[in-house]
Coordinates of all heavy atoms in Angstrom, one line a residue:
M26 N -145.0 169.8 70.8 CA -144.0 168.7 70.8 C -144.1 167.8 69.6 O -143.4 166.8 69.5 CB -144.1 167.9 72.1 CG -143.8 168.6 73.4 SD -142.1 169.3 73.4 CE -141.1 167.8 73.4
E27 N -145.0 168.1 68.7 CA -145.2 167.2 67.5 C -144.0 167.2 66.6 O -143.6 166.2 66.1 CB -146.4 167.6 66.8 CG -147.7 167.4 67.5 CD -148.9 167.8 66.8 OE1 -148.8 168.4 65.7 OE2 -150.0 167.6 67.3
R28 N -143.4 168.4 66.4 CA -142.2 168.5 65.5 C -141.0 167.7 66.0 O -140.4 166.9 65.3 CB -141.8 169.9 65.2 CG -140.7 170.0 64.2 CD -140.4 171.4 63.7 NE -139.2 171.4 62.9 CZ -138.2 172.1 63.2 NH1 -138.1 172.8 64.3 NH2 -137.1 172.0 62.4
P29 N -140.6 167.9 67.3 CA -139.5 167.1 67.8 C -139.8 165.6 67.7 O -138.9 164.8 67.5 CB -139.3 167.5 69.2 CG -139.9 168.9 69.2 CD -141.0 168.9 68.3
Q30 N -141.1 165.2 68.0 CA -141.4 163.7 67.9 C -141.2 163.2 66.5 O -140.7 162.2 66.3 CB -142.8 163.5 68.3 CG -143.1 163.7 69.8 CD -144.6 163.6 70.1 OE1 -145.4 163.2 69.3 NE2 -144.9 164.1 71.3
E31 N -141.6 164.0 65.5 CA -141.5 163.6 64.1 C -140.0 163.6 63.7 O -139.6 162.7 63.0 CB -142.3 164.6 63.2 CG -142.5 164.1 61.8 CD -143.4 164.9 61.0 OE1 -144.4 165.3 61.6 OE2 -143.2 165.1 59.8
D32 N -139.3 164.5 64.2 CA -137.8 164.6 63.9 C -137.1 163.4 64.5 O -136.3 162.8 63.8 CB -137.2 165.9 64.4 CG -137.6 167.1 63.6 OD1 -138.2 166.9 62.5 OD2 -137.4 168.2 64.1
L33 N -137.4 163.0 65.7 CA -136.7 161.9 66.4 C -137.2 160.5 66.0 O -136.4 159.6 65.8 CB -136.8 162.1 67.9 CG -136.0 163.2 68.5 CD1 -136.3 163.3 70.0 CD2 -134.5 162.9 68.3
F34 N -138.5 160.4 65.9 CA -139.1 159.1 65.7 C -139.7 158.8 64.3 O -140.1 157.7 64.0 CB -140.2 158.8 66.8 CG -139.7 158.9 68.2 CD1 -140.2 159.9 69.0 CD2 -138.8 158.1 68.7 CE1 -139.8 160.1 70.3 CE2 -138.3 158.2 70.0 CZ -138.8 159.2 70.8
G35 N -139.8 159.9 63.5 CA -140.4 159.8 62.2 C -141.9 159.7 62.2 O -142.5 159.5 61.2
R36 N -142.6 159.9 63.4 CA -144.0 159.9 63.5 C -144.4 160.6 64.7 O -143.6 160.9 65.6 CB -144.5 158.4 63.5 CG -144.0 157.6 64.7 CD -144.5 156.2 64.6 NE -143.9 155.4 65.7 CZ -144.5 155.3 66.9 NH1 -145.6 155.9 67.2 NH2 -143.9 154.6 67.9
H37 N -145.7 160.8 64.9 CA -146.3 161.4 66.1 C -146.5 160.3 67.1 O -147.1 159.2 66.7 CB -147.6 162.2 65.8 CG -147.4 163.3 64.9 ND1 -146.7 164.5 65.3 CD2 -147.7 163.5 63.6 CE1 -146.7 165.3 64.3 NE2 -147.3 164.8 63.3
L38 N -146.2 160.5 68.3 CA -146.5 159.5 69.3 C -147.9 159.6 69.8 O -148.5 160.6 69.8 CB -145.5 159.6 70.5 CG -144.0 159.5 70.2 CD1 -143.2 159.8 71.5 CD2 -143.7 158.1 69.7
S39 N -148.4 158.4 70.3 CA -149.8 158.4 70.8 C -149.8 159.1 72.2 O -148.8 159.3 72.8 CB -150.3 157.0 70.9 OG -149.6 156.3 71.9
R40 N -151.0 159.6 72.6 CA -151.1 160.2 73.9 C -150.7 159.2 75.0 O -150.1 159.7 76.0 CB -152.6 160.6 74.1 CG -152.9 161.8 73.3 CD -154.2 162.4 73.8 NE -154.7 163.5 72.9 CZ -154.3 164.8 73.1 NH1 -153.5 165.1 74.1 NH2 -154.8 165.7 72.3
R41 N -151.0 158.0 74.8 CA -150.6 157.0 75.8 C -149.1 156.9 76.0 O -148.6 156.9 77.1 CB -151.2 155.6 75.5 CG -151.0 154.6 76.5 CD -151.6 153.3 76.1 NE -152.0 152.6 77.3 CZ -152.9 151.8 77.4 NH1 -153.7 151.5 76.4 NH2 -153.2 151.2 78.5
S42 N -148.4 156.9 74.8 CA -146.9 156.8 74.9 C -146.4 158.1 75.5 O -145.4 158.0 76.3 CB -146.4 156.7 73.5 OG -146.8 155.5 72.9
I43 N -146.9 159.2 75.2 CA -146.4 160.5 75.8 C -146.6 160.5 77.3 O -145.7 160.8 78.0 CB -147.1 161.7 75.1 CG1 -146.7 161.8 73.7 CG2 -146.8 163.0 75.9 CD1 -147.6 162.8 72.9
T44 N -147.8 160.0 77.7 CA -148.1 159.9 79.2 C -147.1 159.0 79.9 O -146.6 159.4 80.9 CB -149.5 159.5 79.4 OG1 -150.4 160.4 78.7 CG2 -149.9 159.4 80.9
W45 N -146.9 157.8 79.3 CA -145.9 156.9 80.0 C -144.5 157.4 80.0 O -143.8 157.2 80.9 CB -146.0 155.5 79.3 CG -147.2 154.7 79.7 CD1 -148.3 154.4 79.0 CD2 -147.4 154.2 81.1 NE1 -149.2 153.7 79.8 CE2 -148.6 153.6 81.1 CE3 -146.6 154.2 82.2 CZ2 -149.1 152.9 82.2 CZ3 -147.2 153.5 83.3 CH2 -148.4 152.9 83.3
L46 N -144.1 158.1 78.9 CA -142.7 158.7 78.9 C -142.6 159.8 79.9 O -141.6 159.9 80.6 CB -142.4 159.2 77.5 CG -142.1 158.2 76.4 CD1 -142.0 158.8 75.0 CD2 -140.9 157.4 76.8
R47 N -143.6 160.6 80.1 CA -143.6 161.7 81.1 C -143.5 161.1 82.5 O -142.8 161.6 83.4 CB -144.8 162.6 81.0 CG -144.7 163.5 79.8 CD -145.9 164.4 79.7 NE -145.8 165.3 78.6 CZ -146.7 166.1 78.1 NH1 -147.9 166.1 78.7 NH2 -146.5 166.8 77.0
I48 N -144.3 160.0 82.8 CA -144.3 159.4 84.1 C -142.9 158.8 84.3 O -142.4 159.0 85.4 CB -145.4 158.3 84.2 CG1 -146.8 159.0 84.2 CG2 -145.2 157.4 85.4 CD1 -147.9 158.0 84.1
A49 N -142.4 158.1 83.3 CA -141.0 157.5 83.5 C -140.0 158.6 83.8 O -139.1 158.4 84.6 CB -140.7 156.7 82.2
G50 N -140.1 159.8 83.1 CA -139.2 160.9 83.3 C -139.2 161.4 84.7 O -138.2 161.6 85.3
W51 N -140.5 161.6 85.2 CA -140.6 162.1 86.6 C -140.1 161.1 87.6 O -139.4 161.5 88.6 CB -142.0 162.5 86.9 CG -142.4 163.8 86.3 CD1 -143.2 164.0 85.3 CD2 -142.0 165.1 86.8 NE1 -143.3 165.4 85.0 CE2 -142.6 166.0 85.9 CE3 -141.2 165.5 87.8 CZ2 -142.4 167.4 86.1 CZ3 -140.9 166.9 88.0 CH2 -141.5 167.8 87.1
V52 N -140.3 159.8 87.4 CA -139.9 158.8 88.3 C -138.3 158.7 88.3 O -137.7 158.7 89.4 CB -140.4 157.4 87.9 CG1 -139.7 156.3 88.7 CG2 -141.9 157.4 88.2
L53 N -137.7 158.8 87.1 CA -136.3 158.8 87.0 C -135.7 160.1 87.7 O -134.6 160.0 88.4 CB -135.8 158.7 85.6 CG -136.0 157.4 84.9 CD1 -135.7 157.4 83.5 CD2 -135.2 156.3 85.6
L54 N -136.3 161.2 87.5 CA -135.8 162.4 88.2 C -135.9 162.2 89.8 O -135.0 162.6 90.5 CB -136.6 163.6 87.8 CG -136.3 164.2 86.5 CD1 -137.3 165.3 86.1 CD2 -134.9 164.8 86.5
A55 N -137.0 161.7 90.2 CA -137.1 161.5 91.7 C -136.1 160.5 92.2 O -135.5 160.7 93.3 CB -138.5 161.0 92.0
L56 N -135.9 159.4 91.4 CA -134.9 158.4 91.8 C -133.5 159.0 91.9 O -132.7 158.8 92.8 CB -134.9 157.2 90.9 CG -136.1 156.3 91.1 CD1 -136.1 155.2 90.0 CD2 -136.0 155.6 92.5
S57 N -133.2 159.9 90.8 CA -131.8 160.5 90.8 C -131.6 161.4 92.0 O -130.6 161.5 92.6 CB -131.6 161.2 89.5 OG -132.4 162.3 89.3
L58 N -132.7 162.2 92.3 CA -132.6 163.0 93.5 C -132.4 162.2 94.8 O -131.6 162.6 95.6 CB -133.9 163.9 93.6 CG -133.9 164.8 94.8 CD1 -132.8 165.8 94.8 CD2 -135.3 165.5 94.9
G59 N -133.1 161.1 94.9 CA -132.9 160.3 96.1 C -131.5 159.7 96.2 O -130.9 159.7 97.3
V60 N -131.0 159.3 95.1 CA -129.6 158.7 95.1 C -128.6 159.8 95.4 O -127.7 159.6 96.2 CB -129.3 158.1 93.7 CG1 -127.8 157.8 93.6 CG2 -130.1 156.8 93.5
T61 N -128.8 161.0 94.8 CA -127.8 162.1 95.1 C -127.9 162.5 96.6 O -126.9 162.7 97.2 CB -128.1 163.3 94.2 OG1 -128.1 162.9 92.9 CG2 -127.1 164.4 94.5
L62 N -129.1 162.6 97.1 CA -129.3 163.0 98.5 C -128.8 161.9 99.5 O -128.4 162.2 100.6 CB -130.7 163.4 98.8 CG -131.2 164.7 98.2 CD1 -132.7 164.9 98.5 CD2 -130.3 165.9 98.5
D63 N -128.8 160.7 99.0 CA -128.3 159.6 99.9 C -126.8 159.6 100.0 O -126.2 159.3 101.0 CB -128.8 158.2 99.3 CG -128.4 157.1 100.2 OD1 -128.7 157.2 101.4 OD2 -127.8 156.1 99.6
Q64 N -126.1 160.1 98.9 CA -124.7 160.2 98.9 C -124.1 161.4 99.5 O -123.0 161.4 100.0 CB -124.2 160.1 97.4 CG -124.6 158.9 96.7 CD -124.0 157.6 97.3 OE1 -122.9 157.6 97.7 NE2 -124.8 156.6 97.4
E65 N -124.9 162.5 99.5 CA -124.4 163.8 100.0 C -125.3 164.3 101.1 O -126.4 163.9 101.2 CB -124.3 164.8 98.8 CG -123.5 164.4 97.7 CD -122.0 164.6 97.9 OE1 -121.6 165.3 98.9 OE2 -121.2 164.0 97.2
R66 N -124.9 165.3 101.8 CA -125.8 166.0 102.7 C -126.8 166.8 101.9 O -126.7 167.0 100.7 CB -125.0 167.0 103.6 CG -124.0 166.4 104.5 CD -123.3 167.4 105.4 NE -122.9 168.6 104.7 CZ -121.7 168.9 104.2 NH1 -120.7 168.0 104.3 NH2 -121.5 170.0 103.6
W67 N -127.9 167.2 102.6 CA -129.0 167.8 102.0 C -128.7 169.0 101.1 O -129.0 169.1 99.9 CB -130.1 168.2 103.0 CG -131.3 168.8 102.5 CD1 -131.6 170.2 102.5 CD2 -132.4 168.2 101.8 NE1 -132.8 170.4 101.9 CE2 -133.3 169.2 101.4 CE3 -132.6 166.9 101.5 CZ2 -134.5 168.9 100.8 CZ3 -133.8 166.6 100.8 CH2 -134.7 167.5 100.5
A68 N -128.0 170.0 101.7 CA -127.6 171.2 100.9 C -126.7 170.9 99.8 O -126.9 171.4 98.6 CB -127.0 172.2 101.9
V69 N -125.6 170.2 100.0 CA -124.7 169.8 99.0 C -125.3 168.9 97.9 O -125.1 169.1 96.7 CB -123.4 169.2 99.6 CG1 -122.5 168.7 98.5 CG2 -122.7 170.1 100.6
G70 N -126.2 168.0 98.4 CA -126.8 167.1 97.4 C -127.7 167.8 96.4 O -127.7 167.5 95.3
L71 N -128.5 168.8 96.9 CA -129.3 169.6 96.0 C -128.5 170.3 95.0 O -128.9 170.4 93.8 CB -130.2 170.5 96.8 CG -131.5 169.9 97.4 CD1 -132.2 171.0 98.2 CD2 -132.4 169.3 96.4
V72 N -127.4 171.0 95.4 CA -126.6 171.7 94.5 C -126.0 170.8 93.5 O -125.9 171.0 92.3 CB -125.5 172.5 95.3 CG1 -124.5 173.1 94.3 CG2 -126.2 173.6 96.1
A73 N -125.5 169.6 94.0 CA -124.9 168.6 93.1 C -125.9 168.1 92.1 O -125.6 168.0 90.9 CB -124.3 167.5 93.9
W74 N -127.1 167.8 92.5 CA -128.2 167.3 91.7 C -128.5 168.3 90.6 O -128.6 167.9 89.4 CB -129.4 167.0 92.5 CG -130.5 166.4 91.7 CD1 -130.5 165.1 91.2 CD2 -131.8 166.9 91.5 NE1 -131.7 164.9 90.6 CE2 -132.5 165.9 90.7 CE3 -132.4 168.1 91.8 CZ2 -133.8 166.2 90.3 CZ3 -133.7 168.3 91.4 CH2 -134.4 167.4 90.6
F75 N -128.7 169.6 90.9 CA -128.9 170.6 89.9 C -127.7 170.7 88.9 O -127.9 170.9 87.7 CB -129.2 172.0 90.5 CG -130.7 172.1 91.0 CD1 -130.9 172.2 92.3 CD2 -131.7 172.0 90.1 CE1 -132.2 172.2 92.8 CE2 -133.0 172.1 90.5 CZ -133.3 172.2 91.9
G76 N -126.5 170.5 89.4 CA -125.4 170.5 88.5 C -125.4 169.4 87.6 O -125.1 169.5 86.4
Y77 N -125.7 168.2 88.1 CA -125.8 167.0 87.2 C -126.9 167.2 86.2 O -126.8 166.8 85.0 CB -126.1 165.7 88.1 CG -125.1 165.4 89.1 CD1 -125.4 164.8 90.3 CD2 -123.7 165.7 88.9 CE1 -124.5 164.5 91.2 CE2 -122.8 165.4 89.8 CZ -123.2 164.8 91.0 OH -122.2 164.5 91.9
L78 N -128.1 167.7 86.6 CA -129.2 168.0 85.6 C -128.7 168.9 84.5 O -129.0 168.7 83.4 CB -130.4 168.5 86.4 CG -131.2 167.5 87.2 CD1 -132.4 168.3 87.8 CD2 -131.7 166.4 86.4
S79 N -128.1 170.0 84.9 CA -127.6 171.0 83.9 C -126.6 170.4 83.0 O -126.7 170.6 81.8 CB -127.0 172.2 84.6 OG -127.9 172.8 85.5
A80 N -125.7 169.6 83.5 CA -124.7 168.9 82.6 C -125.4 167.9 81.7 O -125.0 167.9 80.5 CB -123.6 168.2 83.5
G81 N -126.3 167.2 82.2 CA -127.0 166.2 81.4 C -127.8 166.9 80.3 O -127.9 166.4 79.1
A82 N -128.5 168.0 80.7 CA -129.3 168.7 79.7 C -128.4 169.3 78.6 O -128.7 169.3 77.4 CB -130.1 169.8 80.3
G83 N -127.2 169.8 79.0 CA -126.3 170.3 78.0 C -125.8 169.2 77.0 O -125.7 169.5 75.8
I84 N -125.5 168.1 77.6 CA -125.0 167.0 76.7 C -126.1 166.5 75.8 O -125.9 166.3 74.6 CB -124.6 165.8 77.6 CG1 -123.3 166.2 78.3 CG2 -124.4 164.5 76.8 CD1 -122.8 165.2 79.4
V85 N -127.4 166.4 76.2 CA -128.5 166.0 75.4 C -128.7 167.0 74.3 O -128.9 166.7 73.1 CB -129.8 165.8 76.2 CG1 -131.0 165.6 75.3 CG2 -129.6 164.5 77.1
F86 N -128.7 168.3 74.7 CA -128.9 169.4 73.7 C -127.8 169.3 72.6 O -128.1 169.4 71.4 CB -128.8 170.8 74.4 CG -128.8 171.9 73.5 CD1 -130.0 172.3 72.9 CD2 -127.7 172.6 73.2 CE1 -130.1 173.4 72.0 CE2 -127.7 173.7 72.3 CZ -128.9 174.1 71.7
L87 N -126.5 169.2 73.0 CA -125.5 169.2 72.0 C -125.6 167.9 71.1 O -125.3 168.0 69.9 CB -124.1 169.2 72.7 CG -123.8 170.6 73.3 CD1 -122.5 170.5 74.1 CD2 -123.7 171.7 72.3
A88 N -126.0 166.8 71.7 CA -126.1 165.6 70.9 C -127.3 165.7 69.9 O -127.1 165.3 68.8 CB -126.4 164.4 71.9
L89 N -128.4 166.3 70.3 CA -129.5 166.5 69.4 C -129.1 167.5 68.2 O -129.5 167.3 67.1 CB -130.7 167.0 70.1 CG -131.4 166.0 71.0 CD1 -132.5 166.7 71.8 CD2 -132.0 164.9 70.2
V90 N -128.4 168.5 68.6 CA -127.9 169.5 67.5 C -127.0 168.8 66.5 O -127.2 168.9 65.3 CB -127.2 170.7 68.2 CG1 -126.5 171.5 67.1 CG2 -128.3 171.6 68.9
A91 N -126.0 168.0 67.1 CA -125.1 167.3 66.2 C -125.8 166.3 65.4 O -125.6 166.1 64.2 CB -124.0 166.6 67.0
W92 N -126.8 165.5 66.0 CA -127.5 164.5 65.2 C -128.3 165.1 64.1 O -128.4 164.6 63.0 CB -128.4 163.7 66.2 CG -129.2 162.7 65.6 CD1 -128.8 161.5 65.1 CD2 -130.6 162.7 65.4 NE1 -129.8 160.7 64.6 CE2 -131.0 161.4 64.8 CE3 -131.6 163.6 65.6 CZ2 -132.3 161.1 64.4 CZ3 -132.9 163.2 65.3 CH2 -133.2 162.0 64.7
N93 N -129.0 166.3 64.4 CA -129.8 166.9 63.4 C -128.9 167.5 62.3 O -129.3 167.4 61.1 CB -130.6 168.1 64.0 CG -131.7 168.6 63.2 OD1 -132.2 167.9 62.3 ND2 -132.0 169.8 63.4
R94 N -127.7 168.0 62.6 CA -126.9 168.5 61.5 C -126.3 167.3 60.7 O -126.1 167.5 59.5 CB -125.7 169.3 62.1 CG -126.2 170.6 62.6 CD -125.1 171.5 63.1 NE -125.6 172.7 63.6 CZ -124.8 173.7 64.1 NH1 -123.5 173.5 64.2 NH2 -125.4 174.8 64.5
L95 N -126.1 166.2 61.2 CA -125.6 165.1 60.5 C -126.6 164.5 59.6 O -126.3 164.0 58.5 CB -125.1 164.0 61.4 CG -123.8 164.3 62.1 CD1 -123.5 163.2 63.2 CD2 -122.6 164.4 61.2
R96 N -127.9 164.6 60.0 CA -129.0 164.1 59.1 C -129.3 165.0 58.0 O -129.8 164.5 56.9 CB -130.3 164.0 60.0 CG -130.3 162.9 60.9 CD -131.6 162.7 61.7 NE -132.7 162.8 60.7 CZ -133.9 163.5 60.9 NH1 -134.0 164.1 62.0 NH2 -134.8 163.5 60.1
Q97 N -129.1 166.3 58.1 CA -129.4 167.3 57.1 C -128.3 167.4 56.0 O -127.1 167.2 56.4 CB -129.7 168.6 57.7 CG -130.9 168.7 58.5 CD -131.2 170.1 59.1 OE1 -130.3 170.9 59.0 NE2 -132.3 170.2 59.7
P98 N -128.7 167.7 54.8 CA -127.6 167.9 53.8 C -126.8 169.1 54.2 O -127.2 170.0 55.0 CB -128.4 168.2 52.5 CG -129.7 168.5 52.9 CD -130.0 167.9 54.3
D99 N -125.6 169.2 53.6 CA -124.7 170.3 53.9 C -125.4 171.7 53.6 O -125.9 172.0 52.5 CB -123.4 170.2 53.0 CG -122.4 171.2 53.4 OD1 -122.4 171.7 54.6 OD2 -121.5 171.4 52.6
A100 N -125.4 172.5 54.7 CA -126.2 173.8 54.6 C -125.5 174.7 53.6 O -126.1 175.5 52.9 CB -126.3 174.4 55.9
K101 N -124.2 174.7 53.5 CA -123.4 175.6 52.6 C -123.8 175.2 51.1 O -123.9 176.0 50.2 CB -121.9 175.5 52.8 CG -121.5 176.1 54.1 CD -120.1 175.9 54.3 CE -119.7 176.5 55.7 NZ -118.3 176.2 56.0
A102 N -123.9 173.9 50.8 CA -124.2 173.5 49.5 C -125.6 173.9 49.1 O -125.9 174.1 47.9 CB -124.0 172.0 49.4
V103 N -126.5 173.9 50.0 CA -127.9 174.2 49.7 C -128.0 175.7 49.4 O -128.8 176.1 48.5 CB -128.8 173.9 50.9 CG1 -130.2 174.4 50.7 CG2 -128.8 172.4 51.2
R104 N -127.3 176.6 50.0 CA -127.3 178.0 49.8 C -126.8 178.4 48.4 O -127.3 179.4 47.9 CB -126.5 178.8 50.9 CG -127.1 178.7 52.2 CD -126.3 179.5 53.2 NE -126.7 179.2 54.6 CZ -125.9 179.4 55.6 NH1 -124.8 180.0 55.5 NH2 -126.3 179.0 56.8
R105 N -125.9 177.7 47.9 CA -125.3 178.1 46.6 C -126.2 177.9 45.4 O -127.1 177.3 45.3 CB -124.0 177.4 46.4 CG -123.0 177.8 47.4 CD -121.7 177.1 47.2 NE -120.8 177.4 48.3 CZ -119.6 176.9 48.4 NH1 -119.2 175.9 47.6 NH2 -118.9 177.2 49.4

């Protein structure tokens, strides 16, 4: 995970920062599951939650690709 950290933050994160970010991520996932299951029945809630996770992952992936392409010089100009 060192390269993505350097790409996003311009430096390597400390182990402490990585640990806190992982804990925060798991807590947010658990909270989102709880909120979804509170709004829907168990079976429908799980399916909806996985759908929300998939949609969110897709949005983050496309945003990172677009951000990376905007940061880099034009690839066509580099090839010539």
Side-chain angles (χ1 to χ4, degrees):
M26 294 300 296
E27 291 177 359
R28 181 170 174 241
Q30 292 174 11
E31 192 170 323
D32 288 345
L33 287 174
F34 303 116
R36 63 183 176 88
H37 298 289
L38 297 176
S39 67
R40 288 194 185 272
R41 184 178 211 153
S42 296
I43 293 170
T44 302
W45 281 109
L46 287 172
R47 285 183 181 167
I48 291 169
W51 281 108
V52 168
L53 289 173
L54 282 172
L56 286 174
S57 69
L58 178 60
V60 168
T61 303
L62 292 178
D63 187 48
Q64 300 296 319
E65 303 284 344
R66 293 183 321 260
W67 181 256
V69 175
L71 280 178
V72 172
W74 185 66
F75 280 112
Y77 299 147
L78 286 180
S79 298
I84 291 169
V85 168
F86 173 76
L87 291 175
L89 288 173
V90 168
W92 181 71
N93 195 25
R94 287 187 180 177
L95 289 173
R96 285 186 49 224
Q97 292 179 350
D99 189 18
K101 292 178 183 175
V103 173
R104 288 185 198 158
R105 293 182 186 172

